[in-house]
Amino acid sequence: MSSVEVRRLAQNSESDASTSLERPADRLDADMRHVLGVLEAMGGKRIEACTSPEARALPTLDMALRRILRDHVDDMGVSMEMRLVSGHGGDVRARIYVPQNDLATAARPMILFLHGGFFVLGDVDNFDASPRALAARTGAVVVSAHYRQAPEHRFPAAHEDAWAAWQWLLEHAESLGGDPKRAAVVGEGSGANLAVNVALRAKAEGKPMPLHLGLVTPMAAMLFDLPSHKHNAATFPYSTATLEWAARKLFRSKDDAHDPRMNIAGRLDLDGLPPATVILADADPLRSEGEALADAMRRSGVWVDETLYEGVTHGFFGLYRVVNKAMFAHGQLSRNLVAAFGG
């Protein structure tokens, strides 16, 4: 599928969501505005005005959430263990989440969780809330794996590490109390791009595929002239300028942006992928990319449960303790995962 076709799919999706296109920042849901206000008060600022080290030192949405909750965060009955897992270029950090209850009489399902951050920012520490909640809601062992990031490690280092983490999860499932035949991949933002690529590589190499893909606000096209890029060019904390900033750090050349691993919405080999839950935020420059990906997957015969959550920004998913739409989004994804696991 060409870039023109991706743009056409995105334009068609936008016509069905025209009410959200004109939503200004001050019409975000009150709970989302509250979190962003706390983030700004903590020193949050435009990422694209920073160097990579400066951006990584900025307060995050997770930190704002903890400030609101006064650091009284429920562990949700889930234990967490830090581990090193094998990446393509050496060991990478991971967090292993295991539900602590006496109900499991057999091996638990497994989830590989890949965090967001546009391939430059984020780590497993700042993305604790979502994998912990998924473990609690689905009863699965969740492996939240880090991956090498740009500009120190440019494309496709993260994709190689994500594939290595998937292989590690399958190989170590039994020792973790998990069932490798009931495994899924969930990712946010750049992590959602990695999740799709894990499934595509598994299909291409005839390796075990995930039973389900959880794709939260995915990076799927790297075309910065799609409708949501224009309508959310100045959103906070993540804007179109943030994506362009990250792309300059990620790619060695302009050709890398057109690599099929990045432009997954334009791929013609999406058939045979596992069912997918696609969760989108309307005040997100990536929204059109996610809509184009969901449309392309459906056209290829893949079952897709797509929901656009209005009044929230990119990064809302982990804020479910205080942002109402995030709670609904977690419920949607968890139900589909449990169904995929045969629960």
Side-chain angles (χ1 to χ4, degrees):
M1 187 186 299
S2 67
S3 297
V4 172
E5 180 68 6
V6 171
R7 291 186 178 93
R8 187 185 66 77
L9 291 177
Q11 292 282 2
N12 290 342
S13 297
E14 294 294 332
S15 67
D16 296 331
S18 57
T19 57
S20 70
L21 290 182
E22 304 304 324
R23 184 183 295 277
D26 60 1
R27 289 181 60 194
L28 292 172
D29 288 353
D31 46 12
M32 188 77 233
R33 288 202 312 271
H34 178 51
V35 177
L36 296 182
V38 171
L39 181 64
E40 286 189 278
M42 294 175 66
K45 61 181 181 179
R46 295 286 177 185
I47 292 170
E48 57 271 17
C50 301
T51 65
S52 300
E54 289 171 345
R56 291 167 182 162
L58 289 174
T60 64
L61 287 171
D62 181 71
M63 292 177 184
L65 172 67
R66 291 177 178 273
R67 174 70 61 86
I68 292 169
L69 298 175
R70 300 179 184 273
D71 285 324
H72 292 254
V73 179
D74 184 4
D75 67 8
M76 303 184 75
V78 174
S79 67
M80 187 279 293
E81 176 188 358
M82 296 297 303
R83 293 281 293 272
L84 291 175
V85 305
S86 299
H88 182 82
D91 290 344
V92 296
R93 295 173 63 241
R95 287 185 169 209
I96 313 295
Y97 297 86
V98 181
Q100 297 299 295
N101 59 51
D102 298 325
L103 301 179
T105 58
R108 296 180 181 275
M110 305 283 294
I111 298 172
L112 173 63
F113 180 86
L114 298 165
H115 65 77
F118 311 111
F119 297 104
V120 180
L121 308 173
D123 57 32
V124 294
D125 300 328
N126 290 326
F127 281 81
D128 171 80
S130 291
R132 186 180 296 277
L134 290 172
R137 285 175 173 266
T138 66
V141 175
V142 179
V143 177
S144 176
H146 192 45
Y147 46 86
R148 288 172 295 164
Q149 295 171 308
E152 296 86 354
H153 304 281
R154 295 180 182 266
F155 172 81
H159 292 76
E160 295 168 342
D161 284 348
W163 175 250
W166 174 245
Q167 297 303 301
W168 185 93
L169 179 147
L170 297 178
E171 293 169 3
H172 292 80
E174 184 176 350
S175 66
L176 297 173
D179 180 355
K181 295 181 179 179
R182 293 191 298 151
V185 185
V186 174
E188 292 191 45
S190 51
N193 175 288
L194 297 174
V196 175
N197 276 285
V198 165
L200 285 167
R201 184 165 175 178
K203 184 184 76 164
E205 297 187 8
K207 300 291 181 62
M209 291 182 64
L211 294 180
H212 195 85
L213 293 175
L215 309 178
V216 181
T217 57
M219 294 181 74
M222 299 303 287
L223 303 171
F224 301 128
D225 59 351
L226 299 180
S228 65
H229 295 145
K230 298 175 182 179
H231 287 282
N232 296 294
T235 53
F236 177 78
Y238 308 114
S239 66
T240 302
T242 309
L243 300 177
E244 293 171 333
W245 173 89
R248 290 192 295 270
K249 299 182 182 304
L250 177 62
F251 300 134
R252 292 183 175 87
S253 70
K254 292 182 179 180
D255 291 340
D256 286 345
H258 303 291
D259 188 286
R261 287 168 290 187
M262 295 306 304
N263 185 15
I264 51 177
R267 294 185 66 140
L268 300 177
D269 59 348
L270 299 178
D271 58 293
L273 289 186
T277 302
V278 179
I279 292 170
L280 307 175
D282 81 314
D284 181 1
L286 290 174
R287 186 187 68 239
S288 294
E289 298 188 23
E291 289 170 334
L293 174 61
D295 200 351
M297 293 176 78
R298 282 191 292 261
R299 287 170 178 260
S300 298
V302 178
W303 183 89
V304 176
D305 179 20
E306 175 192 4
T307 300
L308 172 66
Y309 289 92
E310 297 187 358
V312 292
T313 70
H314 187 87
F316 84 104
F317 189 65
L319 305 175
Y320 55 86
R321 293 182 181 91
V322 296
V323 174
N324 201 38
K325 299 291 178 57
M327 180 181 65
F328 291 141
H330 266 271
Q332 174 192 358
L333 176 55
S334 296
R335 286 191 299 272
N336 288 341
L337 287 169
V338 169
F341 294 146

